Amino acid sequence: MRKHSILGMILILLLAGCAPSFEDKQEVVQDSKDKKETAIIPKYKISEEYYQTILPFEPSKARGLVVSNLNTRYDIEEFENGLMRLAQTQFDPEDYLFQEGQMLDSSEISSWLNRKYTDSQLKEKKMKAKENLGLNPVDPGKGDIDNRNEENPIYLAHILEHNYLVKTKDNSVSLGGVVIGLALNSVHYYQKEAFGATYEKKIDSKKLKQEGEKIAAEVLKRLRKMDKLKNVPITIALFEQNEKSSVVPGNFISYTNIDKNSNNIGKWTNLDEEYFLFPSAAAEKKYRDDVNTFTNFKEDVEEYFPNFNGVIGRAFYMDDQLQSLNIDIPIQFYGNSEAIGFTQYVAGLIMERFPNYIAVQVSITSVNGPEALIVREANQDEPTVHIYE
């Protein structure tokens, strides 16, 4: 077996010792529920890439809705984190503070996610015309059910709102902008009868983008009717979520920035983002060299434990360039010293096998739960390693 030197120190992070201190903080005035309240901006900041938040924490008005509307936990994580990443194209983390969405509540978002109803359907449901807010296509309710779902799939799966606050000269904060994420279905699922089999209809990506842009225009129109959103910059991003069986997330396909005084969407910026599973035939076909690098890493891990074969990676590409790689290693240990030794070995492999410009995260788990986490940020000289106790 080859010997590997550890280029990075093993850091056993004690949560109590690493918790941020809020003693050094800034107090500001925030408008909340039509009244001014004192809020706190902690001075502690993890990274220049992250937004600071204000205290006390205000949960989203639609908190928890994303979990029931998106297909997988991978889609949920990428939808939320990716939306914050795209926000930086419009709202600099140096100048803006993050707050979860406060304008759209659960009932409002749920009503927007419905199908549009015909007049007869409204009458049947005893609904008023002003309640007919669905942004998804009408299901006529008559005719062949397969044809109806083929022609009128559910495009919009979820709406996520993020707020960005800006500090003013009088030591207060106010709403400086809003980012809206529209999660779209790459696959439409439907049933022909209650509790029956589930059928699926693959939605063409080009068609999905067109429908997403139409929905975005209507969403902007509705947002501008809200008093607090009449004159703030708004960013709307389209996210194509993956099918329910996928083990990698979907991706953002485009976004648009709308000026504070504009009621119309102008140019859309297309995004070339994609996730791949390592190893997989799809990744091998498109990014053979990267898969080979991962395979060499995988073989080195298997050399340490000859009977082990379970290393899986999720690679994120932007403009055909590998940006980050998240690796899961589920393995059974028979003692703490064995876990520490293996973690040190893997930390060395990361530095040896993967180019410095790629961000790499390795999660080592066992039947007892998380064992270790290794993080090597892009262009970082040494990995940060946390061994759970």
Side-chain angles (χ1 to χ4, degrees):
M1 184 184 298
R2 288 171 294 169
K3 301 294 183 183
H4 295 272
S5 61
I6 297 300
L7 301 179
M9 295 179 61
I10 300 291
L11 302 177
I12 308 299
L13 303 178
L14 301 177
L15 293 178
C18 295
S21 172
F22 299 121
E23 293 180 0
D24 187 13
K25 58 185 180 294
Q26 178 184 359
E27 292 189 354
V28 294
V29 177
Q30 179 193 14
D31 288 330
S32 178
K33 298 178 182 177
D34 299 323
K35 63 180 180 179
K36 294 185 180 297
E37 297 180 346
T38 300
I40 296 173
I41 304 175
K43 290 293 185 181
Y44 183 85
K45 193 173 183 181
I46 298 174
S47 166
E48 295 301 317
E49 297 179 1
Y50 293 115
Y51 290 96
Q52 287 180 290
T53 59
I54 63 173
L55 300 175
F57 171 72
E58 288 285 345
S60 168
K61 298 290 186 179
R63 190 179 191 184
L65 203 58
V66 65
V67 176
S68 58
N69 289 338
L70 294 193
N71 289 336
T72 69
R73 66 178 179 87
Y74 304 113
D75 280 317
I76 293 171
E77 291 174 2
E78 177 59 19
F79 188 39
E80 294 183 326
N81 295 335
L83 192 63
M84 193 175 295
R85 183 181 73 247
L86 290 177
Q88 296 179 24
T89 65
Q90 182 80 335
F91 307 111
D92 192 327
E94 284 295 311
D95 302 320
Y96 290 87
L97 306 168
F98 173 82
Q99 186 178 49
E100 291 198 353
Q102 301 297 308
M103 305 300 157
L104 301 175
D105 60 28
S106 295
S107 60
E108 193 160 27
I109 289 178
S110 295
S111 68
W112 291 13
L113 297 178
N114 285 334
R115 287 185 180 275
K116 196 78 171 177
Y117 297 125
T118 63
D119 290 341
S120 60
Q121 288 170 339
L122 281 177
K123 186 176 181 180
E124 181 181 339
K125 294 177 179 291
K126 297 181 180 179
M127 293 175 60
K128 298 177 181 179
K130 65 180 182 180
E131 298 175 303
N132 195 13
L133 300 174
L135 293 170
N136 278 303
V138 170
D139 176 2
K142 297 180 180 179
D144 183 79
I145 192 168
D146 288 315
N147 289 338
R148 282 158 42 198
N149 280 278
E150 288 276 335
E151 296 171 3
N152 307 291
I154 297 290
Y155 295 112
L156 182 63
H158 188 58
I159 300 172
L160 182 63
E161 173 200 353
H162 285 170
N163 295 162
Y164 291 90
L165 310 179
V166 62
K167 288 183 287 187
T168 59
K169 293 180 180 179
D170 59 351
N171 204 37
S172 64
V173 293
S174 61
L175 184 63
V178 172
V179 177
I180 299 292
L182 303 180
L184 307 173
N185 289 319
S186 61
V187 176
H188 168 58
Y189 297 94
Y190 65 97
Q191 292 177 303
K192 297 182 180 181
E193 56 187 20
F195 309 110
T198 299
Y199 299 84
E200 58 184 63
K201 150 72 175 169
K202 175 69 177 176
I203 302 176
D204 177 73
S205 293
K206 185 177 180 181
K207 175 66 173 178
L208 188 65
K209 185 173 182 294
Q210 291 174 346
E211 294 298 328
E213 290 178 0
K214 291 179 183 178
I215 292 171
E218 178 60 27
V219 168
L220 176 62
K221 181 180 177 181
R222 296 181 184 185
L223 294 178
R224 287 302 191 208
K225 290 181 179 180
M226 299 179 182
D227 289 339
K228 292 185 178 181
L229 300 183
K230 287 182 177 179
N231 300 110
V232 297
I234 296 176
T235 293
I236 301 179
L238 304 183
F239 177 80
E240 182 177 355
Q241 74 162 330
N242 243 327
E243 59 189 16
K244 292 182 177 180
S245 60
S246 177
V247 294
V248 293
N251 53 274
F252 282 92
I253 56 178
S254 62
Y255 70 92
T256 182
N257 295 324
I258 302 108
D259 293 336
K260 63 181 182 179
N261 295 318
S262 176
N263 294 322
N264 299 302
I265 293 177
K267 180 182 178 182
W268 284 89
T269 299
N270 293 325
L271 297 169
D272 184 9
E273 298 182 356
E274 196 168 13
Y275 280 87
F276 282 89
L277 181 70
F278 281 5
S280 68
E284 175 77 19
K285 182 178 179 180
K286 193 168 183 179
Y287 299 109
R288 180 182 297 273
D289 290 344
D290 293 336
V291 174
N292 287 340
T293 298
F294 175 83
T295 300
N296 291 333
F297 169 85
K298 182 174 181 290
E299 290 174 350
D300 287 338
V301 171
E302 293 167 354
E303 182 180 334
Y304 193 97
F305 285 109
N307 295 323
F308 170 73
N309 184 13
V311 183
I312 294 175
R314 293 175 181 84
F316 174 58
Y317 284 86
M318 183 183 297
D319 297 325
D320 290 326
Q321 294 295 317
L322 180 58
Q323 304 294 315
S324 63
L325 180 61
N326 286 357
I327 301 173
D328 293 328
I329 305 179
I331 199 165
Q332 182 58 49
F333 296 112
Y334 297 93
N336 192 51
S337 60
E338 187 175 278
I340 292 174
F342 179 71
T343 301
Q344 292 183 93
Y345 176 76
V346 173
L349 288 180
I350 290 173
M351 302 305 295
E352 179 180 318
R353 286 297 185 187
F354 298 108
N356 198 40
Y357 62 85
I358 300 172
V360 181
Q361 176 176 300
V362 179
S363 177
I364 301 173
T365 60
S366 71
V367 292
N368 297 319
E371 296 286 350
L373 179 67
I374 307 170
V375 179
R376 201 280 305 274
E377 300 290 352
N379 302 316
Q380 187 176 0
D381 293 330
E382 297 178 345
T384 300
V385 183
H386 176 69
I387 298 178
Y388 297 92
E389 293 185 337

